[in-house]
Each structure stands twice: as C-alpha cells, then as structure tokens.
Amino acid sequence: MNPRFLILFAAILIYVVAAMIADEKKEEATDAVIVIDQHTPRETITELHDSPKVKEAQKLQARPQDKVVSETITKELKEVLQTLPTLDHLKKMDTHDVHHTPVVLKESGVMIGKILQKAETDPSRRKPTLEFLLNCAEGKDYAPAVRAVCWNSLLTHISQWKIFFPVSKAKVPPSIKSLALKLQ
Amino acid sequence: MKHLLLATLATTLLNVHAAEDFGSIRFHSSVPELQSSALKEDLKYLFKTPVIHVDREFQQMTGLEKVDGPQMHNWIVNRVRYIVGESFQLENSILFQEGFKFPQTELPSLPGMEQKKESVPQGLSNSGVKTIMTNIGGALYLMGKVGFEFDNMVTQMLLGLDLDGKEVYATSPRIGILQVGEGLFDEEFRLNPELTAPSNSISRIATLFHEARHSDGNGRSTSFPHALCPMTHAYAGHYACEDVSNGPYSIGALSTRSLMLNCTDCSMEEKTALAVSTLDSFSRVNSGVNNALRLMEYQKAYTLYSEILQVGDTIIASAESEEEKAIIQEELNALRDYLQTLLVSMEELKSQLNVIPKPMDDTPEGEWTPVQIEKSKESMIKEISNL
C-alpha cells in the first residue's frame, strides 16, 4: 500500500477521533447547563455555575475560531522568534561584515516592523504581539540591538494600544533598557 | 554620427563616464552610473528633507547652527569632496610628494600603523571583499604622517591620488576621499526593494555621515579610528567599536535617528529596521553601563576558572601517564595566565564603571579649504533645478 495514503488515512482518523472527543465533552458540559430551571434551588444553581463542567462549557461556548486564530498567531510569532539573529551568529561574522550594521539585523528589524504593522490593523493580534516583544527583549541569546528595539516597541505599544501588560518583572538587563532609551 | 553612436554604446556597455561634480562633490569616473545616480538622489533627499523634529543630540554633535537640509548637506561636503568607485585602482593612482610639513601632533592609536616599506600602503589595497564605503582620504593622510622606512630612516611623505587627471594630496584628513562599492547598493542591504526609496537613502546617508566623520580630528583623534570591541561584546575582537561619545558610530546613529524621525514616507517595517540600525551603532560605544555588564561577565569567568585551578592538583594526580600530566599542566598554566589577564581587565573596568564616554576634539588638522554654506547650497539648488 502507498505510504502516503497510509499517512493521509491516519491523519483523517486522528482528526475524526479528536472531533468525536470534543463533541462528547461539549455534550457533557451542555448537559450540566440544561439541568438548571425555575425549580432548581439557589444553592444548587450556584454550585452548578461554579462546577468545573460548567466552566468548561463556557470555554467551549467561546467562538472556536477565535481560539484557532489565536493559536495561529502565536505559532507565527514563535517562528519569527526562532529566526531572530543571535549573538553566536554575530560573533561568527568577519570584520568586513560587522563594520557597518549587518544585513541580518536590518532584516530582523523589517520582520518586527511587519508584526507591529499587522497588530496595528488587527487588534486581535495585539496581545500576542506584546508577548512576542517581551520574549524578544528577554531573550539573552538575541542581538542586543534587536532586544532593545523590542523593549522600546513593547513600552511604546502598551500605551498606544492601551492594553494592560505587566513589564515590571521583565528579565531585561539594564544595558538593554539603557540602549532602548537611545531611541527616545 | 556613426562614431558618436559607437562611442555612446561603448561608454554605456563599459559603464565608463567622465568625472562629474554634483552638489560640491566630485564623482570619479570609476563610480558606475547606477551608483552615482542613487547617491545623487540621496544627496537631494538630504538637502530637501523637511526637519520637523529636531534631534538636539544630533545638532550638538555635528555643531550645526540649524538642523535643516542645506546645513546637513554642507556638513557632509566639508568632509566628503571626492567619491571613487570600487574598481578604482589605488596602486596605479597613488602619488608621493616630499617636503610637506605635517603638524607636530600625536598619532592616534591604530593597529598595524607601523612604518611600512611597501610603496602601496597595505591597508588601502582592494582586498577583494565587497566594499560598502571606506574613507581612504583619512587613511592616506595618516599613512603619510606615520612615514615610510627608507635606508633605516623614517621619512614622512605626503600621499595623494590621481583622480581623473587631477592630483589630489592628503594634506589633511579633510581631503575627504571616499570609496563606495556595490555592497552599499546591494538588494540585501536595502530596506525597500526600490533603490531610491527614502529608507534606503537614509541608510546610505547614515553610512556617509559615519565615513565623513573619519575626515575629522587632530592628534590622537585624527580620523577618529575605531576601537577594539571588548570581550563580551557581540563584535568582540573586531575594530568595530569606539571609546568616544562623538565618533563615527555615534554620528551614524544620530543621523539615522534624526532622518528616521522626520521620514514621512517610511513604513513601520522600514522605521523598525532603521531603529535596529540606530541601536546597533549606539551599542558600539563603550560606556559605563556596558562596562558594568562586562565586569559581571568577567567576574563569573574568574570564579569559574579559579574553581578549576583549585582542583588542579587533584586533576594532575589522576593523570595516567607523564604525557597526560604534561598536557594537564599546560592547560592549567594557560588558565592561570588567562586569570591574570582577567584580573587586569577587571581592575580597569572597576575604574570605568561611571564612565560616560567623552567626546574627542573633532577639529581637523592639516591644510584644507572649507566649503561655505552659500556655495554648497547654490550647487545643490542648481542640480535640483536642472531636473
């Protein structure tokens, strides 16, 4: 039998089983909600609302496509994080390549700019983008200039987008914060 | 007519054209048409750029009376008078002249600037790498001042270049001869696919400001040489840093920041890339904050290697042969030497924790003729109105 066909069949099977399990969970949670009516004592209603099954139902009742979009964005940003230039990368360059700003640094600036622009036009991307910027600023292996741009962009966009995002305990060293200030 | 057509075709094919002046800068015939056109657009952009946000740090460092296009352009043309191309043959164009009296000032600390016997200073020869931009005028001046060894005597010698039949001698670092290469115009160097997009112009202009700074200085600051990047720096081991606050990297950073802030046609991607470039340049200035971080790294390394040395005797005792003992002993000796080096560096850093790098005197030494603002402005207006 064709191996590709086997792989495709296995993938379809896994998807179907996963969908069935999800449906089952949804039914169980929905069952908990249906129980409540005008005859149900107040204590029971409170208990039910606080029950894990109800909480799970509420989660599932959130639009499933939002969860998928959020996961897609997070995955996309994680992939960009993996391509950011590292200190090791810069240390391996020769004198001629480092005399002026290396091309890889400029390219990373373009990538970060694209992410910011996308979040500017699509508010659903803003929180994951701030997460990305923090990860970038905290990443001790990344090039200092890139970390500092991420830190500056993070602080700027928290106020611009008016989103709460804690930064007081960010693991960003003073030298990076000081460098970031040079953009002000 | 036929001869004229053939000559035009030959010129186009060979990408050879006559020297030309543009905005008070002379473009050598070796600069390809595409590159000289792009640089002219860059100069026009600089001249015409509206400055709404004034960067005071940039103004202070450049000493501009007012931060506007004509003033920024004038700053450049007082430091960049000639631009040659990557194919320019230095060895075939170099000139020597005896009898010039160099100023009796110190020399800057430069690696490899010992007296050389070669007729062509090694540091200036085309080395085969892709050039971005180099200030060869400053290097020529310094090499002449360092002098050459003839018959066991060091003789200072004025160096110059034959530029399209014009003899240009480096009587000051302000002679302003820059060499540009394809690296400056490469697609991978661009922030926008369009060669003359504002962001690309800004990027190239910043490189121009950086190289122009090498035309300044006197004594120890002549040509503002770069410093060795320290051990924990991203560019450790390369001469790609500076110990002063007003060197080429600082000027390059500030010019990028200033132009970026005033760019109305730059996208978010382009501005972020320019921001990375700005901070990359700033990160090369060795400062107190960076020294504190370096000291921490050195202290960690010292502790680590000291712990190894402490168990040195135990390690040697476990050696199975005399040969192995010798290898281990050699390694331990090397670690001891390294610890000594670390100690010296750490003491130096401790004394520099509060250092805010100082500016060096940027007044150029030697003989040179300034370009007045009225002249440079007139030359640019003429070029712009010729369109």
Side-chain angles (χ1 to χ4, degrees):
Chain A
M1 197 175 254
N2 190 338
R4 279 188 198 163
F5 177 75
L6 274 173
I7 292 165
L8 182 62
F9 179 74
I12 293 169
L13 189 63
I14 291 166
Y15 177 77
V16 167
V17 168
M20 280 168 61
I21 293 170
D23 276 351
E24 215 178 88
K25 280 188 178 284
K26 205 171 173 176
E27 269 179 31
E28 281 176 21
T30 315
D31 283 343
V33 173
I34 290 169
V35 165
I36 300 169
D37 61 22
Q38 68 269 29
H39 303 295
T40 311
R42 184 169 286 280
E43 297 80 10
T44 315
I45 293 170
T46 313
E47 243 178 59
L48 281 168
H49 272 303
D50 288 344
S51 81
K53 276 190 180 171
V54 169
K55 283 193 191 311
E56 210 177 310
Q58 283 167 347
K59 268 191 209 168
L60 287 168
Q61 277 163 10
R63 296 188 312 161
Q65 61 266 36
D66 285 349
K67 198 168 172 237
V68 171
V69 165
S70 176
E71 279 169 4
T72 310
I73 294 167
T74 308
K75 187 176 170 228
E76 180 196 317
L77 296 176
K78 206 173 171 181
E79 280 167 10
V80 174
L81 265 180
Q82 284 166 357
T83 62
L84 292 179
T86 60
L87 278 171
D88 272 347
H89 190 160
L90 296 182
K91 284 182 176 177
K92 285 175 186 157
M93 289 184 162
D94 65 37
T95 301
H96 189 258
D97 290 329
V98 305
H99 188 76
H100 294 283
T101 301
V103 167
V104 285
L105 289 189
K106 292 187 184 191
E107 284 170 352
S108 66
V110 171
M111 275 195 297
I112 294 167
K114 272 196 178 107
I115 288 167
L116 289 170
Q117 185 56 44
K118 282 184 186 177
E120 198 60 45
T121 50
D122 179 0
S124 71
R125 296 183 68 100
R126 290 178 184 178
K127 196 88 187 269
T129 296
L130 293 178
E131 225 16 276
F132 161 84
L133 291 171
L134 180 64
N135 288 332
C136 162
E138 286 184 332
K140 55 184 171 66
D141 293 331
Y142 299 134
V146 173
R147 292 179 70 184
V149 162
C150 285
W151 181 248
N152 180 71
S153 301
L154 175 63
L155 298 182
T156 310
H157 285 88
I158 285 172
S159 56
Q160 208 169 297
W161 292 334
K162 296 182 179 54
I163 298 176
F164 171 72
F165 194 87
V167 292
S168 60
K169 292 183 180 153
K171 296 183 183 78
V172 178
S175 59
I176 299 292
K177 288 181 179 176
S178 176
L179 186 59
L181 284 173
K182 287 289 200 181
L183 285 175
Q184 299 302 321
Chain B
M1 186 63 182
K2 186 178 162 186
H3 292 293
L4 178 62
L5 282 170
L6 280 169
T8 311
L9 181 64
T11 307
T12 313
L13 288 171
L14 293 170
N15 211 3
V16 165
H17 49 98
E20 56 176 324
D21 289 317
F22 183 91
S24 301
I25 295 176
R26 175 156 280 221
F27 284 77
H28 189 261
S29 56
S30 58
V31 183
E33 181 63 40
L34 185 73
Q35 293 180 14
S36 65
S37 296
L39 285 170
K40 286 170 193 170
E41 286 305 310
D42 296 342
L43 290 169
K44 274 189 245 166
Y45 180 85
L46 180 66
F47 188 81
K48 286 158 62 177
T49 193
V51 177
I52 300 154
H53 307 283
V54 175
D55 191 320
R56 295 287 171 212
E57 216 181 324
F58 175 63
Q59 182 174 16
Q60 191 187 23
M61 195 170 292
T62 50
L64 296 176
E65 274 176 33
K66 188 182 169 196
V67 181
D68 64 19
Q71 291 270 349
M72 289 192 284
H73 169 256
N74 181 262
W75 192 94
I76 291 283
V77 302
N78 267 293
R79 292 157 180 81
V80 180
R81 305 307 311 278
Y82 305 91
I83 294 180
V84 302
E86 199 163 7
S87 65
F88 177 71
Q89 293 297 318
L90 281 155
E91 297 87 349
N92 299 342
S93 311
I94 202 149
L95 305 166
F96 298 85
Q97 194 180 90
E98 287 181 85
F100 178 75
K101 291 214 176 338
F102 285 91
Q104 298 297 302
T105 53
E106 286 181 87
L107 281 166
S109 159
L110 291 166
M113 268 299 252
E114 306 86 18
Q115 286 81 3
K116 298 237 183 257
K117 283 185 183 173
E118 301 93 342
S119 56
V120 175
Q122 280 296 312
L124 292 178
S125 61
N126 302 85
S127 58
V129 294
K130 218 189 253 183
T131 305
I132 292 177
M133 199 187 277
T134 320
N135 188 322
I136 53 180
L140 272 174
Y141 174 80
L142 277 172
M143 285 188 167
K145 190 179 175 186
V146 165
F148 298 87
E149 197 179 317
F150 297 114
D151 299 326
N152 296 320
M153 262 180 62
V154 172
T155 309
Q156 288 183 326
M157 185 75 71
L158 184 64
L159 299 180
L161 294 173
D162 179 337
L163 299 177
D164 290 317
K166 184 180 179 190
E167 290 185 359
V168 176
Y169 285 95
T171 53
S172 165
R174 279 286 181 100
I175 191 62
I177 306 171
L178 263 56
Q179 184 173 38
V180 296
E182 60 174 299
L184 187 64
F185 307 90
D186 252 0
E187 274 185 40
E188 62 169 7
F189 195 77
R190 295 182 209 169
L191 306 179
N192 182 300
E194 179 57 50
L195 179 64
T196 54
S199 59
N200 291 329
S201 284
I202 291 171
S203 194
R204 288 190 294 264
I205 290 165
T207 310
L208 208 54
F209 269 95
H210 172 118
E211 293 302 332
R213 185 43 136 196
H214 286 300
S215 296
D216 282 330
N218 62 85
R220 288 177 62 80
S221 66
T222 308
S223 208
F224 278 84
H226 294 307
L228 191 65
C229 293
M231 224 170 77
T232 52
H233 198 278
Y235 307 125
H238 295 290
Y239 280 88
C241 286
E242 57 199 29
D243 290 328
V244 299
S245 63
N246 62 340
Y249 285 115
S250 293
I251 288 268
L254 289 170
S255 60
T256 312
R257 190 174 81 182
S258 178
L259 292 167
M260 173 182 76
L261 282 170
N262 287 292
C263 182
T264 50
D265 297 320
C266 293
S267 64
M268 179 72 89
E269 292 95 311
E270 288 163 309
K271 283 196 169 180
T272 312
L274 287 169
V276 171
S277 202
T278 302
L279 294 190
D280 177 63
S281 290
F282 274 128
S283 76
R284 297 159 188 254
V285 180
N286 295 331
S287 67
V289 170
N290 289 341
N291 287 342
L293 189 66
R294 281 162 58 205
L295 183 60
M296 266 169 53
E297 298 289 331
Y298 282 34
Q299 282 167 338
K300 276 187 223 166
Y302 191 85
T303 307
L304 200 63
Y305 291 117
S306 295
E307 281 167 5
I308 296 172
L309 278 176
Q310 274 166 15
V311 300
D313 290 336
T314 313
I315 296 172
I316 286 180
S318 69
E320 289 178 357
S321 66
E322 286 303 313
E323 200 186 325
E324 199 182 328
K325 256 192 205 171
I327 292 170
I328 294 169
Q329 191 61 59
E330 198 184 324
E331 174 66 14
L332 291 174
N333 289 342
L335 283 179
R336 272 192 202 93
D337 290 341
Y338 181 63
L339 280 184
Q340 280 307 308
T341 315
L342 276 180
L343 266 177
V344 169
S345 300
M346 278 159 63
E347 282 311 306
E348 201 182 312
L349 282 171
K350 278 176 192 166
S351 69
Q352 293 173 356
L353 285 178
N354 296 315
V355 160
I356 296 168
K358 290 187 172 47
M360 285 191 93
D361 185 3
D362 60 2
T363 316
E365 66 174 44
E367 297 169 12
W368 61 283
T369 311
V371 179
Q372 301 301 328
I373 178 87
E374 296 79 17
K375 183 173 181 245
S376 62
K377 207 169 163 176
E378 190 192 314
S379 65
M380 275 307 289
I381 290 170
K382 183 181 144 210
E383 297 298 345
I384 291 165
S385 59
N386 275 346
L387 290 168

